[in-house]
C-alpha cells in the first residue's frame, strides 16, 4: 500500500459513518463540513457546510451520483446536490438527534435515518411526503441501519449492546 495524498482536514473520529463514495468521488466529514474529492486526481472539488453542530453521518445516493445526505447534532438531515453545491432538502427533527443514514436501494429518493432512542425514520425528499417513523424496540441505542439489497422495505437495525433487529418498513404499524 502506498500513500498518494495527505488530506488537509482530517476526518472526525467519534463516529464511523463519516466517509462515503461514488464511482468518481469520495467525501468525508470534519466536524462541520463535508469535503468532496475526485478519485481521478485526488483534488478537493467541493466543501459543503450548513450544519451548526457536529456532523454524525454522510451517505451517497446509490441512484444519483450528485446527491449526498448528511445528519448532525443540530437535529438536521440535509440532502445536497453537488452539481449546484446547494442544500435541496432539509428535515429538522423536533425530538431526537439523527445518528446515521441509509439510502433505500429500491426507492430513489427514500432515506432512512435513526435517532439515539432507536426510532427509525423514513423520509422521501423528492415528493416531500410526510416523514414516517417506525418505533424499533431495542435494548440499547441504535448504532447502524442497513437496507436489504434484495428485499424491498427490509432493514437491519443494530444496537450498541449487539442486538440486531430486522424491520419491515412496508408493513403498517399495527400489522401482525
Amino acid at each position: 500500500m502506498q500513500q498518494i495524498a495527505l488530506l488537509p482536514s482530517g476526518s472526525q473520529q467519534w463516529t464511523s459513518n463519516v466517509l462515503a463514495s461514488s464511482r468518481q468521488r469520495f467525501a468525508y466529514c470534519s466536524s462541520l463540513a463535508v469535503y468532496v474529492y475526485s478519485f481521478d486526481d485526488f483534488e478537493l472539488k467541493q466543501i459543503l457546510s450548513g450544519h451548526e453542530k457536529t456532523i454524525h453521518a454522510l451517505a451517497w445516493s446509490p441512484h444519483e451520483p450528485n446527491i449526498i445526505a448528511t445528519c448532525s447534532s443540530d437535529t438536521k438531515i440535509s440532502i445536497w446536490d453537488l452539481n449546484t453545491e446547494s442544500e435541496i432538502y432539509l428535515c429538522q427533527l423536533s425530538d431526537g438527534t439523527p445518528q446515521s443514514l441509509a439510502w433505500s436501494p429500491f426507492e430513489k429518493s427514500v432515506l432512512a435515518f435513526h435517532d439515539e432512542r432507536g426510532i427509525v425514520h423514513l423520509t422521501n425528499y423528492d415528493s416531500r411526503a410526510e416523514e414516517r417513523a417506525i418505533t424499533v424496540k431495542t435494548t440499547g441505542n441504535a448504532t447502524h441501519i442497513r437496507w436489504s439489497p434484495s428485499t424491498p422495505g427490509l432493514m437491519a437495525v443494530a444496537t450498541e449492546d449487539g442486538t440486531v433487529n430486522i424491520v419491515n418498513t412496508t408493513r403498517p404499524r399495527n400489522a401482525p
Side-chain angles (χ1 to χ4, degrees), residues 59-132:
W60 214 295
S61 170
H63 308 286
E64 299 180 82
N66 294 310
I67 301 294
I68 62 173
T70 56
C71 68
S72 165
S73 292
D74 60 12
T75 70
K76 295 177 187 172
I77 293 90
S78 296
I79 297 179
W80 305 86
D81 183 337
L82 297 177
N83 286 337
T84 61
E85 295 187 28
S86 63
E87 184 180 63
I88 59 171
Y89 178 78
L90 175 65
C91 177
Q92 177 85 49
L93 294 182
S94 59
D95 192 19
T97 302
Q99 301 294 313
S100 70
L101 305 161
W103 288 99
S104 169
F106 296 98
E107 297 177 81
K108 174 180 154 180
S109 57
V110 172
L111 180 68
F113 55 94
H114 74 82
D115 63 32
E116 76 282 0
R117 299 165 300 153
I119 299 175
V120 176
H121 304 262
L122 303 177
T123 190
N124 184 330
Y125 82 89
D126 198 27
S127 70
R128 307 291 196 239
E130 185 175 317
E131 177 190 317
R132 289 185 288 161

Side-chain angles (χ1 to χ4, degrees), residues 126-147:
D126 198 27
S127 70
R128 307 291 196 239
E130 185 175 317
E131 177 190 317
R132 289 185 288 161
I134 301 163
T135 302
V136 179
K137 302 274 187 216
T138 62
T139 55
N141 291 338
T143 57
H144 294 83
I145 53 176
R146 298 291 184 267
W147 290 95

